[in-house]
């Protein structure tokens, strides 16, 4: 499970970092992080897919969100026993009786 999370998080983090840095043209002297490269990459993908380049980032964001949902659902399914135990402990501890107003200290 640890490796699944690593192999999911590494590409998502790399893609997010590249997109953020290239979108705002924070190149640090590296051509890969320039806005020119950003636009070129999306133009190439747009031509390959036959769609306008402006529509690709929202599609990628939805795909990343869906993949993330699948990964976290799988993680939740694998840890369901621990999650249920935590939930039951939480429900039992939540039924404590609060002290009445008359029993509270009247200190100034």
């Amino acid at each position: 499970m640890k490796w699944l999370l690593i192999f999911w998080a590494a590409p998502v983090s790399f893609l997010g970092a590249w997109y953020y840095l290239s979108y705002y043209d924070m190149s640090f002297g590296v051509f890969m992080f320039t806005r020119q490269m950003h636009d070129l990459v999306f133009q190439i993908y747009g031509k390959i897919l036959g769609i306008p380049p402006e529509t690709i980032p929202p599609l990628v964001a939805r795909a990343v969100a869906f993949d993330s949902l699948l990964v976290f659902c799988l993680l939740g399914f694998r840890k369901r026993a621990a999650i249920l135990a935590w939930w039951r402990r939480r429900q039992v501890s939540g039924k404590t009786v609060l002290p009445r107003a008359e029993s509270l200290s009247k200190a100034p």
Side-chain angles (χ1 to χ4, degrees):
M1 198 67 198
K2 173 177 65 172
W3 289 107
L4 175 67
L5 289 174
I6 290 171
F7 285 126
W8 163 79
V12 169
S13 300
F14 178 75
L15 177 65
W18 173 80
Y19 183 81
Y20 179 81
L21 291 173
S22 64
Y23 185 79
Y24 292 109
D25 201 16
M26 293 186 233
S27 65
F28 305 112
V30 179
F31 179 69
M32 183 176 171
F33 298 125
T34 61
R35 181 63 190 215
Q36 183 182 4
M37 181 67 168
H38 178 92
D39 293 338
L40 179 64
V41 165
F42 286 110
Q43 284 176 1
I44 291 170
Y45 278 127
K47 289 220 186 242
I48 290 171
L49 297 173
I51 59 176
E54 307 85 42
T55 61
I56 297 173
L59 293 174
V60 172
R62 286 192 342 204
V64 168
F66 181 74
D67 289 347
S68 301
L69 178 69
L70 286 179
V71 167
F72 287 119
C73 285
L74 181 63
L75 181 65
F77 182 74
R78 298 267 313 215
K79 303 281 185 180
R80 69 185 179 274
I83 293 170
L84 282 174
W86 168 80
W87 182 256
R88 288 185 182 129
R89 282 192 316 269
R90 185 173 181 260
Q91 293 302 315
V92 169
S93 69
K95 294 186 180 184
T96 59
V97 178
L98 295 175
R100 297 171 58 147
E102 298 88 34
S103 67
L104 296 176
S105 173
K106 303 289 184 192

